[in-house]
Amino acid sequence: IILSNREILDATVFLKNRPSWIGIRNDVANSTSNTLGEGEELVLLAGENIAFDLAVRTEQLEAGTALGTVSFGVLYAAQNHPGCSGARKDISFDVFVRVTPPPSLNQLSDGIRGAGLALMGIIILSSMLFSAWVFRYRRIRVVRASQPMFLYLICLGTLVMGSAIMPLSIDDSVVSKHGCDIACASLPWLLSMGFTISFSALFSKIWRINQLIYSSQHFQKVKLTEKDVFAPFCVLFVFNFITLLAWTLVDPLHWARLPIDKDWSNTYGTCRTDKSASIAFLVAIIVINIGALFLACLQAYRARHYSVEYSESKYIGMAMFGWLQVLIVSIPVLFLVMENPTASFFLQSALVFVLCMSMLLLIFVPKLIIFKKRNRRHHKSRGASTERAKAEVECALEGMAEEKSGEDSGLNLSSPRDESEVRELKTQLRQSRERIRLLEEQLQKGRAQSDTSASAVLF
């Protein structure tokens, strides 16, 4: 504010009124302070100017607009000019201020990010543990019947798909915009490739069983190696890879901040594209993955009458029904919480967790139950045979002890034996023990061969 005295008389200027959230400063030499308070007077000589700076204290205001009035009183000095009377005037200025709140970025908190990463850790740990279990018991019947190679691929697919929670948890609060762009570009790769690996492996596995069972029912000789069965898996994998590569080269996802209700002081970060080509690529990815899912369900339906050891159609159907319910509820909710990064991240992480863990648990838990039951029966039968062998040995030892005590006491036994006969009996006892041991080994080999022959049709 600049006050100019264009009169021929000197004037006295003083602050009459101001809002509490406005401070006034001046650089006049005869002022006792740089800050002009209410009632403090300044002399403005004829033809001189006084400049005042207004300082707005925004901490005293709420977000929005504020209007205040600053008033100065001006009094002309008449005592130095005979014949003139003093004149008093007021000067008012309106001050309009718009207060913008600090920008709200709506970034993920450490707590919600940690919860999502914990879900990812459970998925990765479960995939690794189930893979280790398959490797450890790869020679038993229930694992051989389920084809270990495809079980490995299912675990690999869930591990890759579960890793998609990591780029979902990245925003501009932890990395730069370039890092966020990399996370956005990797997200469709992890989700799509993980899903395709799991379901194409599941499809190839059940398709192989259906081919073998169909050939045996029609008395046809057929030999299917894992190389032959990998053909449909490779086709689905290559289609996915080519589509994702084209998407990444033509119109990759990148990080951007968008306003909420057109208010740029309240924004959220998300992955988006600048071109319409991404819609076509997204539709292609959905068609490929839904195709893999449909083919897996079709093969599972055809194998619905087979043993659980060879086909998981019952549990696949349970998984499909559960996924359908989850998708019906979650997809509309995802659109509703799109502008809320915290809710959107948690919901997306929960969807990935449910999809991966339901697939792992419904595939492997029934096999673990079968394995545990057979192992329990095996230990019972082995324990019974061992008890019978021990009983026979104890009976023989008791007979020898009775014969020896009879000889020592001088009793007249019905069939007395001399020392040579006792040595011969001991030799026969040792031979009996050896035969028992050989019989136990043969029994174990026979069980192993029966397990192998029962699943040999799959290899």
PDB file of all heavy atoms in Angstrom, residues 221-240:
ATOM      1  N   LYS A 221      -3.304 -97.722 -28.020  1.00  0.00           N
ATOM      2  CA  LYS A 221      -2.002 -97.505 -27.427  1.00  0.00           C
ATOM      3  C   LYS A 221      -1.533 -96.100 -27.751  1.00  0.00           C
ATOM      4  O   LYS A 221      -1.493 -95.694 -28.906  1.00  0.00           O
ATOM      5  CB  LYS A 221      -0.992 -98.517 -27.965  1.00  0.00           C
ATOM      6  CG  LYS A 221       0.376 -98.410 -27.314  1.00  0.00           C
ATOM      7  CD  LYS A 221       1.320 -99.471 -27.851  1.00  0.00           C
ATOM      8  CE  LYS A 221       2.685 -99.367 -27.194  1.00  0.00           C
ATOM      9  NZ  LYS A 221       3.624-100.392 -27.703  1.00  0.00           N
ATOM     10  N   VAL A 222      -1.208 -95.333 -26.725  1.00  0.00           N
ATOM     11  CA  VAL A 222      -0.777 -93.958 -26.920  1.00  0.00           C
ATOM     12  C   VAL A 222       0.345 -93.667 -25.926  1.00  0.00           C
ATOM     13  O   VAL A 222       0.358 -94.180 -24.810  1.00  0.00           O
ATOM     14  CB  VAL A 222      -1.937 -92.963 -26.712  1.00  0.00           C
ATOM     15  CG1 VAL A 222      -2.465 -93.021 -25.302  1.00  0.00           C
ATOM     16  CG2 VAL A 222      -1.501 -91.547 -27.060  1.00  0.00           C
ATOM     17  N   LYS A 223       1.302 -92.883 -26.382  1.00  0.00           N
ATOM     18  CA  LYS A 223       2.421 -92.492 -25.535  1.00  0.00           C
ATOM     19  C   LYS A 223       2.538 -90.980 -25.553  1.00  0.00           C
ATOM     20  O   LYS A 223       2.805 -90.374 -26.601  1.00  0.00           O
ATOM     21  CB  LYS A 223       3.718 -93.129 -26.028  1.00  0.00           C
ATOM     22  CG  LYS A 223       4.915 -92.796 -25.141  1.00  0.00           C
ATOM     23  CD  LYS A 223       6.180 -93.463 -25.650  1.00  0.00           C
ATOM     24  CE  LYS A 223       7.362 -93.130 -24.736  1.00  0.00           C
ATOM     25  NZ  LYS A 223       8.615 -93.763 -25.237  1.00  0.00           N
ATOM     26  N   LEU A 224       2.306 -90.380 -24.404  1.00  0.00           N
ATOM     27  CA  LEU A 224       2.373 -88.927 -24.280  1.00  0.00           C
ATOM     28  C   LEU A 224       3.517 -88.576 -23.342  1.00  0.00           C
ATOM     29  O   LEU A 224       3.514 -88.954 -22.166  1.00  0.00           O
ATOM     30  CB  LEU A 224       1.062 -88.363 -23.725  1.00  0.00           C
ATOM     31  CG  LEU A 224      -0.143 -88.390 -24.664  1.00  0.00           C
ATOM     32  CD1 LEU A 224      -1.370 -87.903 -23.917  1.00  0.00           C
ATOM     33  CD2 LEU A 224       0.110 -87.527 -25.882  1.00  0.00           C
ATOM     34  N   THR A 225       4.493 -87.891 -23.877  1.00  0.00           N
ATOM     35  CA  THR A 225       5.588 -87.416 -23.050  1.00  0.00           C
ATOM     36  C   THR A 225       5.293 -85.993 -22.575  1.00  0.00           C
ATOM     37  O   THR A 225       4.373 -85.334 -23.068  1.00  0.00           O
ATOM     38  CB  THR A 225       6.905 -87.425 -23.834  1.00  0.00           C
ATOM     39  OG1 THR A 225       6.797 -86.524 -24.944  1.00  0.00           O
ATOM     40  CG2 THR A 225       7.206 -88.827 -24.349  1.00  0.00           C
ATOM     41  N   GLU A 226       6.081 -85.547 -21.618  1.00  0.00           N
ATOM     42  CA  GLU A 226       5.890 -84.181 -21.128  1.00  0.00           C
ATOM     43  C   GLU A 226       6.156 -83.162 -22.234  1.00  0.00           C
ATOM     44  O   GLU A 226       5.578 -82.075 -22.246  1.00  0.00           O
ATOM     45  CB  GLU A 226       6.816 -83.924 -19.941  1.00  0.00           C
ATOM     46  CG  GLU A 226       6.424 -84.717 -18.698  1.00  0.00           C
ATOM     47  CD  GLU A 226       7.306 -84.374 -17.510  1.00  0.00           C
ATOM     48  OE1 GLU A 226       8.281 -83.616 -17.716  1.00  0.00           O
ATOM     49  OE2 GLU A 226       7.013 -84.840 -16.401  1.00  0.00           O
ATOM     50  N   LYS A 227       7.021 -83.511 -23.181  1.00  0.00           N
ATOM     51  CA  LYS A 227       7.284 -82.619 -24.310  1.00  0.00           C
ATOM     52  C   LYS A 227       6.041 -82.421 -25.154  1.00  0.00           C
ATOM     53  O   LYS A 227       5.763 -81.311 -25.624  1.00  0.00           O
ATOM     54  CB  LYS A 227       8.429 -83.186 -25.140  1.00  0.00           C
ATOM     55  CG  LYS A 227       8.824 -82.313 -26.316  1.00  0.00           C
ATOM     56  CD  LYS A 227       9.980 -82.929 -27.072  1.00  0.00           C
ATOM     57  CE  LYS A 227      10.359 -82.076 -28.283  1.00  0.00           C
ATOM     58  NZ  LYS A 227      11.478 -82.667 -29.041  1.00  0.00           N
ATOM     59  N   ASP A 228       5.276 -83.506 -25.374  1.00  0.00           N
ATOM     60  CA  ASP A 228       4.047 -83.388 -26.156  1.00  0.00           C
ATOM     61  C   ASP A 228       3.003 -82.542 -25.439  1.00  0.00           C
ATOM     62  O   ASP A 228       2.282 -81.760 -26.065  1.00  0.00           O
ATOM     63  CB  ASP A 228       3.478 -84.786 -26.440  1.00  0.00           C
ATOM     64  CG  ASP A 228       4.460 -85.637 -27.233  1.00  0.00           C
ATOM     65  OD1 ASP A 228       5.196 -85.062 -28.059  1.00  0.00           O
ATOM     66  OD2 ASP A 228       4.487 -86.859 -27.011  1.00  0.00           O
ATOM     67  N   VAL A 229       2.918 -82.695 -24.142  1.00  0.00           N
ATOM     68  CA  VAL A 229       1.884 -82.006 -23.390  1.00  0.00           C
ATOM     69  C   VAL A 229       2.217 -80.525 -23.223  1.00  0.00           C
ATOM     70  O   VAL A 229       1.321 -79.703 -23.011  1.00  0.00           O
ATOM     71  CB  VAL A 229       1.698 -82.691 -22.011  1.00  0.00           C
ATOM     72  CG1 VAL A 229       0.627 -82.008 -21.198  1.00  0.00           C
ATOM     73  CG2 VAL A 229       1.350 -84.153 -22.207  1.00  0.00           C
ATOM     74  N   PHE A 230       3.488 -80.147 -23.340  1.00  0.00           N
ATOM     75  CA  PHE A 230       3.868 -78.759 -23.183  1.00  0.00           C
ATOM     76  C   PHE A 230       3.440 -77.893 -24.361  1.00  0.00           C
ATOM     77  O   PHE A 230       3.576 -76.668 -24.298  1.00  0.00           O
ATOM     78  CB  PHE A 230       5.380 -78.642 -22.993  1.00  0.00           C
ATOM     79  CG  PHE A 230       5.791 -78.573 -21.557  1.00  0.00           C
ATOM     80  CD1 PHE A 230       6.247 -79.702 -20.905  1.00  0.00           C
ATOM     81  CD2 PHE A 230       5.702 -77.391 -20.860  1.00  0.00           C
ATOM     82  CE1 PHE A 230       6.623 -79.647 -19.576  1.00  0.00           C
ATOM     83  CE2 PHE A 230       6.067 -77.315 -19.536  1.00  0.00           C
ATOM     84  CZ  PHE A 230       6.534 -78.445 -18.888  1.00  0.00           C
ATOM     85  N   ALA A 231       2.939 -78.487 -25.435  1.00  0.00           N
ATOM     86  CA  ALA A 231       2.535 -77.698 -26.605  1.00  0.00           C
ATOM     87  C   ALA A 231       1.441 -76.688 -26.280  1.00  0.00           C
ATOM     88  O   ALA A 231       1.593 -75.486 -26.574  1.00  0.00           O
ATOM     89  CB  ALA A 231       2.100 -78.632 -27.727  1.00  0.00           C
ATOM     90  N   PRO A 232       0.305 -77.081 -25.667  1.00  0.00           N
ATOM     91  CA  PRO A 232      -0.704 -76.065 -25.328  1.00  0.00           C
ATOM     92  C   PRO A 232      -0.202 -75.032 -24.325  1.00  0.00           C
ATOM     93  O   PRO A 232      -0.546 -73.851 -24.405  1.00  0.00           O
ATOM     94  CB  PRO A 232      -1.871 -76.877 -24.745  1.00  0.00           C
ATOM     95  CG  PRO A 232      -1.274 -78.179 -24.349  1.00  0.00           C
ATOM     96  CD  PRO A 232      -0.159 -78.439 -25.305  1.00  0.00           C
ATOM     97  N   PHE A 233       0.654 -75.470 -23.403  1.00  0.00           N
ATOM     98  CA  PHE A 233       1.234 -74.527 -22.451  1.00  0.00           C
ATOM     99  C   PHE A 233       2.074 -73.472 -23.164  1.00  0.00           C
ATOM    100  O   PHE A 233       1.966 -72.271 -22.881  1.00  0.00           O
ATOM    101  CB  PHE A 233       2.087 -75.283 -21.433  1.00  0.00           C
ATOM    102  CG  PHE A 233       2.899 -74.403 -20.527  1.00  0.00           C
ATOM    103  CD1 PHE A 233       2.332 -73.842 -19.404  1.00  0.00           C
ATOM    104  CD2 PHE A 233       4.228 -74.137 -20.810  1.00  0.00           C
ATOM    105  CE1 PHE A 233       3.069 -73.030 -18.571  1.00  0.00           C
ATOM    106  CE2 PHE A 233       4.976 -73.324 -19.984  1.00  0.00           C
ATOM    107  CZ  PHE A 233       4.395 -72.772 -18.863  1.00  0.00           C
ATOM    108  N   CYS A 234       2.893 -73.916 -24.107  1.00  0.00           N
ATOM    109  CA  CYS A 234       3.752 -72.976 -24.833  1.00  0.00           C
ATOM    110  C   CYS A 234       2.930 -72.014 -25.691  1.00  0.00           C
ATOM    111  O   CYS A 234       3.282 -70.836 -25.815  1.00  0.00           O
ATOM    112  CB  CYS A 234       4.742 -73.751 -25.703  1.00  0.00           C
ATOM    113  SG  CYS A 234       5.959 -74.695 -24.758  1.00  0.00           S
ATOM    114  N   VAL A 235       1.837 -72.502 -26.286  1.00  0.00           N
ATOM    115  CA  VAL A 235       1.007 -71.633 -27.122  1.00  0.00           C
ATOM    116  C   VAL A 235       0.411 -70.500 -26.284  1.00  0.00           C
ATOM    117  O   VAL A 235       0.479 -69.314 -26.653  1.00  0.00           O
ATOM    118  CB  VAL A 235      -0.102 -72.455 -27.806  1.00  0.00           C
ATOM    119  CG1 VAL A 235      -1.119 -71.534 -28.468  1.00  0.00           C
ATOM    120  CG2 VAL A 235       0.503 -73.386 -28.837  1.00  0.00           C
ATOM    121  N   LEU A 236      -0.182 -70.839 -25.145  1.00  0.00           N
ATOM    122  CA  LEU A 236      -0.765 -69.813 -24.281  1.00  0.00           C
ATOM    123  C   LEU A 236       0.303 -68.859 -23.752  1.00  0.00           C
ATOM    124  O   LEU A 236       0.094 -67.635 -23.679  1.00  0.00           O
ATOM    125  CB  LEU A 236      -1.498 -70.477 -23.118  1.00  0.00           C
ATOM    126  CG  LEU A 236      -2.750 -71.268 -23.481  1.00  0.00           C
ATOM    127  CD1 LEU A 236      -3.248 -72.044 -22.275  1.00  0.00           C
ATOM    128  CD2 LEU A 236      -3.839 -70.360 -24.011  1.00  0.00           C
ATOM    129  N   PHE A 237       1.446 -69.402 -23.409  1.00  0.00           N
ATOM    130  CA  PHE A 237       2.522 -68.568 -22.875  1.00  0.00           C
ATOM    131  C   PHE A 237       3.033 -67.584 -23.929  1.00  0.00           C
ATOM    132  O   PHE A 237       3.250 -66.400 -23.648  1.00  0.00           O
ATOM    133  CB  PHE A 237       3.666 -69.460 -22.384  1.00  0.00           C
ATOM    134  CG  PHE A 237       4.771 -68.720 -21.691  1.00  0.00           C
ATOM    135  CD1 PHE A 237       4.692 -68.448 -20.341  1.00  0.00           C
ATOM    136  CD2 PHE A 237       5.883 -68.298 -22.401  1.00  0.00           C
ATOM    137  CE1 PHE A 237       5.710 -67.759 -19.698  1.00  0.00           C
ATOM    138  CE2 PHE A 237       6.901 -67.602 -21.770  1.00  0.00           C
ATOM    139  CZ  PHE A 237       6.820 -67.338 -20.414  1.00  0.00           C
ATOM    140  N   VAL A 238       3.236 -68.061 -25.168  1.00  0.00           N
ATOM    141  CA  VAL A 238       3.758 -67.199 -26.234  1.00  0.00           C
ATOM    142  C   VAL A 238       2.763 -66.113 -26.586  1.00  0.00           C
ATOM    143  O   VAL A 238       3.134 -64.943 -26.786  1.00  0.00           O
ATOM    144  CB  VAL A 238       4.127 -68.053 -27.461  1.00  0.00           C
ATOM    145  CG1 VAL A 238       4.419 -67.170 -28.670  1.00  0.00           C
ATOM    146  CG2 VAL A 238       5.334 -68.928 -27.152  1.00  0.00           C
ATOM    147  N   PHE A 239       1.474 -66.446 -26.676  1.00  0.00           N
ATOM    148  CA  PHE A 239       0.456 -65.428 -26.965  1.00  0.00           C
ATOM    149  C   PHE A 239       0.476 -64.319 -25.913  1.00  0.00           C
ATOM    150  O   PHE A 239       0.405 -63.127 -26.229  1.00  0.00           O
ATOM    151  CB  PHE A 239      -0.925 -66.068 -27.031  1.00  0.00           C
ATOM    152  CG  PHE A 239      -1.206 -66.763 -28.329  1.00  0.00           C
ATOM    153  CD1 PHE A 239      -2.282 -67.614 -28.468  1.00  0.00           C
ATOM    154  CD2 PHE A 239      -0.376 -66.558 -29.415  1.00  0.00           C
ATOM    155  CE1 PHE A 239      -2.539 -68.259 -29.666  1.00  0.00           C
ATOM    156  CE2 PHE A 239      -0.626 -67.198 -30.629  1.00  0.00           C
ATOM    157  CZ  PHE A 239      -1.704 -68.041 -30.751  1.00  0.00           C
ATOM    158  N   ASN A 240       0.547 -64.722 -24.657  1.00  0.00           N
ATOM    159  CA  ASN A 240       0.606 -63.736 -23.584  1.00  0.00           C
ATOM    160  C   ASN A 240       1.855 -62.881 -23.672  1.00  0.00           C
ATOM    161  O   ASN A 240       1.799 -61.656 -23.503  1.00  0.00           O
ATOM    162  CB  ASN A 240       0.570 -64.451 -22.231  1.00  0.00           C
ATOM    163  CG  ASN A 240      -0.604 -64.015 -21.376  1.00  0.00           C
ATOM    164  OD1 ASN A 240      -0.824 -62.848 -21.193  1.00  0.00           O
ATOM    165  ND2 ASN A 240      -1.340 -64.982 -20.864  1.00  0.00           N
TER     166      ASN A 240
END
